[in-house]
Amino acid sequence: MPITTEFVKRALGCLLFSLVFSHSLHGESLGVKTATASGSACPSTFYNVQLTSDASVCHVFADELPASLTYHSKQASNELAYFFRQQIDGPVNQSVSQNRVLMRHANDQTIIVISRDGTGSQVDILVNSH
């Protein structure tokens, strides 16, 4: 099933919503089926996307696809972009928008947004259905 522009806009909207409100949601109960973990409790992978070993303060929204995960890393944005490019097979469309690195893979099946956050970076991963 081809991914429509409207679907991609909605998926990016959900991801950006998560990005904007992730700081205010940290530590709060959302009243939905959401797994929240921090420190070593973060998963090592999310729908076949490897997370960095220093992933912390994870917020997982993954009851069904599309699913997203937000976490913090002590690494700089450019280091994280390099990390993700090394593990993705196939072409990656990478751009910078509003001081955030936006990486799109496989017709927007996987979207990664990396933004500067304090002494490190915030990573948002959105995985869409095939």
Side-chain angles (χ1 to χ4, degrees):
M1 178 170 112
I3 296 176
T4 65
T5 304
E6 187 61 31
F7 176 79
V8 172
K9 285 180 184 178
R10 282 185 287 159
L12 283 174
C14 290
L15 182 63
L16 291 175
F17 177 81
S18 170
L19 178 73
V20 169
F21 290 101
S22 65
H23 294 291
S24 63
L25 297 177
H26 173 66
E28 296 179 17
S29 173
L30 300 177
V32 295
K33 293 180 182 178
T34 301
T36 303
S38 62
S40 62
C42 289
S44 60
T45 60
F46 181 71
Y47 288 95
N48 297 321
V49 177
Q50 173 105 21
L51 276 63
T52 56
S53 60
D54 69 340
S56 64
V57 193
C58 293
H59 299 279
V60 180
F61 306 93
D63 290 338
E64 59 186 51
L65 292 176
S68 67
L69 177 138
T70 298
Y71 76 91
H72 184 268
S73 171
K74 294 179 182 176
Q75 298 180 47
S77 296
N78 60 340
E79 295 170 319
L80 290 166
Y82 180 78
F83 171 81
F84 288 114
R85 285 183 80 77
Q86 294 305 305
Q87 63 171 302
I88 296 174
D89 290 332
V92 176
N93 182 354
Q94 183 173 326
S95 62
V96 176
S97 176
Q98 299 178 1
N99 295 321
R100 294 177 174 92
V101 176
L102 176 62
M103 302 174 79
R104 298 174 178 208
H105 175 254
N107 295 323
D108 291 333
Q109 180 184 351
T110 305
I111 300 170
I112 301 171
V113 180
I114 306 167
S115 48
R116 210 179 71 176
D117 182 27
T119 59
S121 300
Q122 177 175 315
V123 178
D124 298 283
I125 302 169
L126 174 67
V127 178
N128 293 304
S129 58
H130 295 295

